[in-house]
């Protein structure tokens, strides 16, 4: 059912057997794995696609999220680690973001002025609702949070939010959506 994840399971077994000095013919075993499949087979979203998504996006978080992902090109998994301390204002209305801070994959990326403006609107909305920001405050919050604990938006929530907007914009058939 999940041909792309078979290798992970087999390599775990391979490591176990190698650590215990048990010799197997791994070249033959690895040939038995199913071929990997392309997960979505879709092209990148065009500027027009993004505009259509923004035209149907109902809330500020979704708009900021769409523009952030489109503008910076970061992976969805980086959003859970993104905190206020990782944002730096740049000239011409842009922002810089430190992604995967402290890891070997750490890098800086930049967003467009349009994205920067939407993020500012999203953060301003949160401030109006009484949120107090610290350097450790998540940039994108989970939808359901109590006032005391601000949880970052998780990977599944990002996929769900984007999928909802895609369907509203008529960009994806729900049966065709393979985002996980």
């Amino acid at each position: 059912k999940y041909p792309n994840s078979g290798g992970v399971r087999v390599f775990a077994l391979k490591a176990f057997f190698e650590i215990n000095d048990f010799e197997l013919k791994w070249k033959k075993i690895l040939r038995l794995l199913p071929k990997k499949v392309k997960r979505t087979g879709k092209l990148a979203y065009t500027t027009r696609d993004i505009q259509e998504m923004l035209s149907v996006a109902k809330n500020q978080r979704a708009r900021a999220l769409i523009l952030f992902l489109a503008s910076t090109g970061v992976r969805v998994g980086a959003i859970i680690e993104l905190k206020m301390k990782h944002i730096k204002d740049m000239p011409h209305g842009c922002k810089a973001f430190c992604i995967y801070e402290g890891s070997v994959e750490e890098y800086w990326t930049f967003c467009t002025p349009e994205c920067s403006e939407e993020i500012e609107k999203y953060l301003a909305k949160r401030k109006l609702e009484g949120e107090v920001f610290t350097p450790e405050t998540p940039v994108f919050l989970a939808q359901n949070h109590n006032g005391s604990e601000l949880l970052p938006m998780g990977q599944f929530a990002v996929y769900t939010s984007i999928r909802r907007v895609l369907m509203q914009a008529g960009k994806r058939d729900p049966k065709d959506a393979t985002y996980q």
Side-chain angles (χ1 to χ4, degrees), residues 107-139:
Y107 67 96
W108 283 88
T109 188
F110 303 89
C111 73
T112 63
E114 181 184 19
C115 172
S116 181
E117 186 179 323
E118 285 298 327
I119 289 174
E120 287 296 330
K121 287 179 187 176
Y122 170 60
L123 298 176
K125 179 182 180 287
R126 287 169 47 188
K127 282 182 184 176
L128 279 174
E129 294 170 350
E131 186 177 337
V132 178
F133 292 172
T134 69
E136 294 299 316
T137 301
V139 175

Side-chain angles (χ1 to χ4, degrees), residues 4 37-45 171-172 176-179:
N4 292 353
V37 296
K38 195 170 180 184
R39 292 183 65 171
T40 62
K42 302 293 180 190
L43 298 173
Y45 297 113
K171 294 292 168 194
R172 291 281 193 268
D176 188 36
T178 54
Y179 297 104

Side-chain angles (χ1 to χ4, degrees), residues 61 79-84 122-123 125-127 129-154:
R61 182 184 74 162
I79 289 173
I80 196 167
E81 297 177 23
L82 195 62
K83 296 180 173 41
M84 297 304 294
Y122 170 60
L123 298 176
K125 179 182 180 287
R126 287 169 47 188
K127 282 182 184 176
E129 294 170 350
E131 186 177 337
V132 178
F133 292 172
T134 69
E136 294 299 316
T137 301
V139 175
F140 292 98
L141 287 183
Q143 199 71 7
N144 301 324
H145 61 84
N146 57 25
S148 62
E149 187 178 11
L150 301 175
L151 299 174
M153 188 176 195

Side-chain angles (χ1 to χ4, degrees), residues 154-167:
Q155 199 166 332
F156 182 74
V158 173
Y159 286 131
T160 303
S161 181
I162 298 297
R163 183 173 181 257
R164 185 178 303 120
V165 173
L166 284 168
M167 289 171 26

